[in-house]
């Protein structure tokens, strides 16, 4: 059975108002480029950023990386224009901030359709408010939704909680968002780590997100890419073990047995399925990285 996986180990926010940043993004080893029209763009630059981003995406040079455009939120002066532009930019997804219900997703989907967006254009949702966390399952269940993105800075502020290295105050929200995403087959990305020069702290937080079930981490600086890619990518040992598990299980199946043993551990169908997915992820990452080398 073949498994299709799209790597999302690293998702880097890029300010659409900075032409140099948009150009630099073409050479960065990010799995996902989050082209930002919202927080990273000052109000006076919104219109220029939108037009500049449209030209950049149309010009190309970002593939095979995934490009998602984060628009300004419902109720802001720029939201409608952002959606009209994003509908036909050629981005891989549209990222919606502060989503708190499936109805909000519906409203955006209708607007994109009316603006001529492809019917298959995926929507991603920022989960960054208490209401958004409580509605995460409903949001993930929307037919156009393919990825939930944690906005941990905003969420922490709304909770009136203090940041700690173990992210204790955020644990219920992180876990609930992962549960919602997995229930409906969505990807899920962890929030940003603000101290971009603190490699030790970034690695620890990324490992925590990975252990919780996240697919990758959102980032604020290119210097964070290598750590996120390493933490959320499978190791060589893990790949070798996965291949051994698949081979052993397939041999067992051929002999009419439902269980195999690898390195003293039981391998059942669920373990073989997880191993196949890990192998597919490793192959997708290798293909992406090879493509980036060829384009360099």
């Amino acid at each position: 059975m073949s498994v299709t996986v799209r790597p999302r180990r690293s998702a880097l926010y890029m300010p659409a108002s900075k032409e140099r940043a948009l150009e630099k993004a073409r050479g960065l080893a990010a799995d996902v480029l989050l082209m930002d029209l919202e927080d990273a763009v000052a109000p006076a630059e919104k219109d220029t950023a939108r037009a500049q981003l449209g030209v950049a995406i149309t010009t190309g040079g970002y593939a095979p990386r995934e490009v998602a455009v984060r628009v300004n939120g419902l109720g802001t002066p720029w939201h409608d224009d952002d959606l009209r532009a994003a509908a036909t930019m050629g981005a891989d997804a549209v990222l919606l901030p502060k989503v708190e219900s499936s109805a909000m997703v519906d409203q955006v989907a209708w607007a994109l359709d009316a603006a001529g967006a492809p019917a298959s254009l995926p929507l991603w949702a920022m989960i960054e408010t208490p209401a958004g966390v409580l509605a995460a399952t409903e949001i993930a269940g929307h037919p156009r939704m393919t990825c939930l993105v944690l906005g941990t800075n905003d969420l922490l502020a709304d909770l009136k909680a203090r940041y700690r290295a173990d992210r204790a105050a955020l644990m219920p929200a992180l876990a609930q968002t992962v549960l919602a995403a997995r229930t409906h087959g969505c990807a899920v990305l962890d929030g940003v780590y603000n101290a971009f020069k603190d490699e030790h702290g970034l690695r620890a937080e990324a490992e925590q997100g990975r252990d919780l079930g996240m697919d990758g981490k959102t980032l604020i600086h290119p210097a964070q890419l290598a750590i996120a890619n390493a933490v959320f990518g499978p190791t060589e040992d893990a790949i070798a073990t996965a291949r051994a598990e698949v081979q052993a299980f397939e041999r067992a199946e051929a002999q009419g047995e439902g269980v195999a043993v690898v390195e003293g551990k039981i391998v059942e169908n669920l373990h073989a399925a997880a191993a196949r997915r890990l192998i597919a992820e490793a192959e997708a990452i290798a293909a992406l990285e090879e493509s980036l080398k060829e384009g360099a």
Side-chain angles (χ1 to χ4, degrees), residues 277-296:
R277 180 174 177 83
L278 187 145
I279 293 167
E281 180 184 0
E283 290 173 348
I285 290 169
L288 173 64
E289 292 178 345
E290 182 62 28
S291 178
L292 293 180
K293 287 179 184 177
E294 292 174 357

PDB file of all heavy atoms in Angstrom, residues 277-296:
ATOM      1  N   ARG A 277       4.215   4.826   6.887  1.00  0.00           N
ATOM      2  CA  ARG A 277       4.077   6.290   6.836  1.00  0.00           C
ATOM      3  C   ARG A 277       5.427   6.967   7.087  1.00  0.00           C
ATOM      4  O   ARG A 277       5.768   7.948   6.422  1.00  0.00           O
ATOM      5  CB  ARG A 277       3.042   6.772   7.856  1.00  0.00           C
ATOM      6  CG  ARG A 277       2.879   8.290   7.843  1.00  0.00           C
ATOM      7  CD  ARG A 277       1.759   8.785   8.738  1.00  0.00           C
ATOM      8  NE  ARG A 277       1.717  10.229   8.710  1.00  0.00           N
ATOM      9  CZ  ARG A 277       1.111  10.954   7.769  1.00  0.00           C
ATOM     10  NH1 ARG A 277       0.477  10.348   6.779  1.00  0.00           N
ATOM     11  NH2 ARG A 277       1.129  12.279   7.797  1.00  0.00           N
ATOM     12  N   LEU A 278       6.195   6.447   8.036  1.00  0.00           N
ATOM     13  CA  LEU A 278       7.507   7.036   8.317  1.00  0.00           C
ATOM     14  C   LEU A 278       8.421   6.908   7.104  1.00  0.00           C
ATOM     15  O   LEU A 278       9.151   7.847   6.757  1.00  0.00           O
ATOM     16  CB  LEU A 278       8.123   6.354   9.538  1.00  0.00           C
ATOM     17  CG  LEU A 278       9.422   6.975  10.063  1.00  0.00           C
ATOM     18  CD1 LEU A 278       9.476   6.881  11.582  1.00  0.00           C
ATOM     19  CD2 LEU A 278      10.650   6.310   9.459  1.00  0.00           C
ATOM     20  N   ILE A 279       8.389   5.768   6.434  1.00  0.00           N
ATOM     21  CA  ILE A 279       9.203   5.577   5.237  1.00  0.00           C
ATOM     22  C   ILE A 279       8.775   6.554   4.142  1.00  0.00           C
ATOM     23  O   ILE A 279       9.610   7.164   3.463  1.00  0.00           O
ATOM     24  CB  ILE A 279       9.085   4.118   4.745  1.00  0.00           C
ATOM     25  CG1 ILE A 279       9.738   3.169   5.756  1.00  0.00           C
ATOM     26  CG2 ILE A 279       9.733   3.965   3.367  1.00  0.00           C
ATOM     27  CD1 ILE A 279       9.411   1.716   5.528  1.00  0.00           C
ATOM     28  N   ALA A 280       7.462   6.702   3.964  1.00  0.00           N
ATOM     29  CA  ALA A 280       6.960   7.639   2.960  1.00  0.00           C
ATOM     30  C   ALA A 280       7.384   9.067   3.286  1.00  0.00           C
ATOM     31  O   ALA A 280       7.737   9.845   2.389  1.00  0.00           O
ATOM     32  CB  ALA A 280       5.435   7.541   2.877  1.00  0.00           C
ATOM     33  N   GLU A 281       7.363   9.417   4.576  1.00  0.00           N
ATOM     34  CA  GLU A 281       7.802  10.756   4.994  1.00  0.00           C
ATOM     35  C   GLU A 281       9.279  10.958   4.672  1.00  0.00           C
ATOM     36  O   GLU A 281       9.681  12.007   4.145  1.00  0.00           O
ATOM     37  CB  GLU A 281       7.559  10.937   6.491  1.00  0.00           C
ATOM     38  CG  GLU A 281       7.980  12.297   7.026  1.00  0.00           C
ATOM     39  CD  GLU A 281       7.815  12.420   8.520  1.00  0.00           C
ATOM     40  OE1 GLU A 281       7.382  11.457   9.172  1.00  0.00           O
ATOM     41  OE2 GLU A 281       8.136  13.513   9.041  1.00  0.00           O
ATOM     42  N   ALA A 282      10.092   9.954   4.981  1.00  0.00           N
ATOM     43  CA  ALA A 282      11.524  10.046   4.708  1.00  0.00           C
ATOM     44  C   ALA A 282      11.776  10.208   3.212  1.00  0.00           C
ATOM     45  O   ALA A 282      12.642  10.998   2.801  1.00  0.00           O
ATOM     46  CB  ALA A 282      12.242   8.803   5.236  1.00  0.00           C
ATOM     47  N   GLU A 283      11.043   9.479   2.395  1.00  0.00           N
ATOM     48  CA  GLU A 283      11.223   9.571   0.943  1.00  0.00           C
ATOM     49  C   GLU A 283      10.782  10.936   0.426  1.00  0.00           C
ATOM     50  O   GLU A 283      11.419  11.506  -0.466  1.00  0.00           O
ATOM     51  CB  GLU A 283      10.443   8.445   0.267  1.00  0.00           C
ATOM     52  CG  GLU A 283      11.046   7.061   0.525  1.00  0.00           C
ATOM     53  CD  GLU A 283      10.191   5.928  -0.008  1.00  0.00           C
ATOM     54  OE1 GLU A 283       9.012   6.201  -0.377  1.00  0.00           O
ATOM     55  OE2 GLU A 283      10.680   4.778  -0.067  1.00  0.00           O
ATOM     56  N   ALA A 284       9.696  11.462   0.984  1.00  0.00           N
ATOM     57  CA  ALA A 284       9.222  12.782   0.563  1.00  0.00           C
ATOM     58  C   ALA A 284      10.212  13.874   0.949  1.00  0.00           C
ATOM     59  O   ALA A 284      10.463  14.815   0.182  1.00  0.00           O
ATOM     60  CB  ALA A 284       7.854  13.068   1.183  1.00  0.00           C
ATOM     61  N   ILE A 285      10.791  13.757   2.138  1.00  0.00           N
ATOM     62  CA  ILE A 285      11.797  14.728   2.581  1.00  0.00           C
ATOM     63  C   ILE A 285      13.028  14.667   1.687  1.00  0.00           C
ATOM     64  O   ILE A 285      13.575  15.693   1.266  1.00  0.00           O
ATOM     65  CB  ILE A 285      12.174  14.471   4.055  1.00  0.00           C
ATOM     66  CG1 ILE A 285      11.014  14.849   4.968  1.00  0.00           C
ATOM     67  CG2 ILE A 285      13.437  15.243   4.434  1.00  0.00           C
ATOM     68  CD1 ILE A 285      11.190  14.388   6.405  1.00  0.00           C
ATOM     69  N   ALA A 286      13.462  13.442   1.364  1.00  0.00           N
ATOM     70  CA  ALA A 286      14.636  13.282   0.501  1.00  0.00           C
ATOM     71  C   ALA A 286      14.384  13.888  -0.873  1.00  0.00           C
ATOM     72  O   ALA A 286      15.264  14.550  -1.443  1.00  0.00           O
ATOM     73  CB  ALA A 286      14.991  11.801   0.380  1.00  0.00           C
ATOM     74  N   ALA A 287      13.183  13.685  -1.407  1.00  0.00           N
ATOM     75  CA  ALA A 287      12.849  14.244  -2.723  1.00  0.00           C
ATOM     76  C   ALA A 287      12.814  15.761  -2.680  1.00  0.00           C
ATOM     77  O   ALA A 287      13.296  16.438  -3.599  1.00  0.00           O
ATOM     78  CB  ALA A 287      11.501  13.699  -3.187  1.00  0.00           C
ATOM     79  N   LEU A 288      12.252  16.318  -1.602  1.00  0.00           N
ATOM     80  CA  LEU A 288      12.200  17.769  -1.446  1.00  0.00           C
ATOM     81  C   LEU A 288      13.601  18.354  -1.359  1.00  0.00           C
ATOM     82  O   LEU A 288      13.931  19.339  -2.038  1.00  0.00           O
ATOM     83  CB  LEU A 288      11.398  18.122  -0.193  1.00  0.00           C
ATOM     84  CG  LEU A 288      11.373  19.591   0.232  1.00  0.00           C
ATOM     85  CD1 LEU A 288      10.694  20.444  -0.837  1.00  0.00           C
ATOM     86  CD2 LEU A 288      10.654  19.755   1.570  1.00  0.00           C
ATOM     87  N   GLU A 289      14.444  17.749  -0.540  1.00  0.00           N
ATOM     88  CA  GLU A 289      15.791  18.272  -0.351  1.00  0.00           C
ATOM     89  C   GLU A 289      16.622  18.145  -1.624  1.00  0.00           C
ATOM     90  O   GLU A 289      17.434  19.022  -1.941  1.00  0.00           O
ATOM     91  CB  GLU A 289      16.449  17.566   0.827  1.00  0.00           C
ATOM     92  CG  GLU A 289      15.799  17.918   2.159  1.00  0.00           C
ATOM     93  CD  GLU A 289      16.399  17.208   3.358  1.00  0.00           C
ATOM     94  OE1 GLU A 289      17.137  16.207   3.135  1.00  0.00           O
ATOM     95  OE2 GLU A 289      16.138  17.638   4.493  1.00  0.00           O
ATOM     96  N   GLU A 290      16.420  17.071  -2.368  1.00  0.00           N
ATOM     97  CA  GLU A 290      17.141  16.899  -3.634  1.00  0.00           C
ATOM     98  C   GLU A 290      16.707  17.963  -4.633  1.00  0.00           C
ATOM     99  O   GLU A 290      17.534  18.521  -5.368  1.00  0.00           O
ATOM    100  CB  GLU A 290      16.889  15.505  -4.187  1.00  0.00           C
ATOM    101  CG  GLU A 290      17.636  15.208  -5.480  1.00  0.00           C
ATOM    102  CD  GLU A 290      19.145  15.268  -5.325  1.00  0.00           C
ATOM    103  OE1 GLU A 290      19.653  15.005  -4.211  1.00  0.00           O
ATOM    104  OE2 GLU A 290      19.820  15.599  -6.327  1.00  0.00           O
ATOM    105  N   SER A 291      15.405  18.252  -4.648  1.00  0.00           N
ATOM    106  CA  SER A 291      14.884  19.275  -5.557  1.00  0.00           C
ATOM    107  C   SER A 291      15.450  20.639  -5.217  1.00  0.00           C
ATOM    108  O   SER A 291      15.790  21.424  -6.105  1.00  0.00           O
ATOM    109  CB  SER A 291      13.355  19.297  -5.486  1.00  0.00           C
ATOM    110  OG  SER A 291      12.836  20.302  -6.321  1.00  0.00           O
ATOM    111  N   LEU A 292      15.589  20.934  -3.935  1.00  0.00           N
ATOM    112  CA  LEU A 292      16.146  22.219  -3.517  1.00  0.00           C
ATOM    113  C   LEU A 292      17.624  22.329  -3.909  1.00  0.00           C
ATOM    114  O   LEU A 292      18.098  23.397  -4.286  1.00  0.00           O
ATOM    115  CB  LEU A 292      15.972  22.409  -2.010  1.00  0.00           C
ATOM    116  CG  LEU A 292      14.540  22.555  -1.502  1.00  0.00           C
ATOM    117  CD1 LEU A 292      14.520  22.736   0.002  1.00  0.00           C
ATOM    118  CD2 LEU A 292      13.847  23.725  -2.192  1.00  0.00           C
ATOM    119  N   LYS A 293      18.342  21.212  -3.823  1.00  0.00           N
ATOM    120  CA  LYS A 293      19.751  21.216  -4.244  1.00  0.00           C
ATOM    121  C   LYS A 293      19.869  21.509  -5.733  1.00  0.00           C
ATOM    122  O   LYS A 293      20.724  22.277  -6.168  1.00  0.00           O
ATOM    123  CB  LYS A 293      20.389  19.862  -3.921  1.00  0.00           C
ATOM    124  CG  LYS A 293      20.665  19.617  -2.459  1.00  0.00           C
ATOM    125  CD  LYS A 293      21.278  18.250  -2.280  1.00  0.00           C
ATOM    126  CE  LYS A 293      21.473  17.930  -0.799  1.00  0.00           C
ATOM    127  NZ  LYS A 293      22.018  16.551  -0.606  1.00  0.00           N
ATOM    128  N   GLU A 294      19.006  20.878  -6.515  1.00  0.00           N
ATOM    129  CA  GLU A 294      19.044  21.062  -7.962  1.00  0.00           C
ATOM    130  C   GLU A 294      18.691  22.495  -8.372  1.00  0.00           C
ATOM    131  O   GLU A 294      19.205  23.011  -9.352  1.00  0.00           O
ATOM    132  CB  GLU A 294      18.072  20.096  -8.636  1.00  0.00           C
ATOM    133  CG  GLU A 294      18.498  18.639  -8.519  1.00  0.00           C
ATOM    134  CD  GLU A 294      17.466  17.683  -9.055  1.00  0.00           C
ATOM    135  OE1 GLU A 294      16.383  18.154  -9.463  1.00  0.00           O
ATOM    136  OE2 GLU A 294      17.719  16.470  -9.074  1.00  0.00           O
ATOM    137  N   GLY A 295      17.826  23.129  -7.534  1.00  0.00           N
ATOM    138  CA  GLY A 295      17.408  24.490  -7.859  1.00  0.00           C
ATOM    139  C   GLY A 295      18.331  25.554  -7.338  1.00  0.00           C
ATOM    140  O   GLY A 295      18.184  26.740  -7.650  1.00  0.00           O
ATOM    141  N   ALA A 296      19.290  25.130  -6.520  1.00  0.00           N
ATOM    142  CA  ALA A 296      20.215  26.105  -5.901  1.00  0.00           C
ATOM    143  C   ALA A 296      21.164  26.707  -6.934  1.00  0.00           C
ATOM    144  O   ALA A 296      21.517  26.091  -7.908  1.00  0.00           O
ATOM    145  CB  ALA A 296      21.000  25.420  -4.796  1.00  0.00           C
TER     146      ALA A 296
END
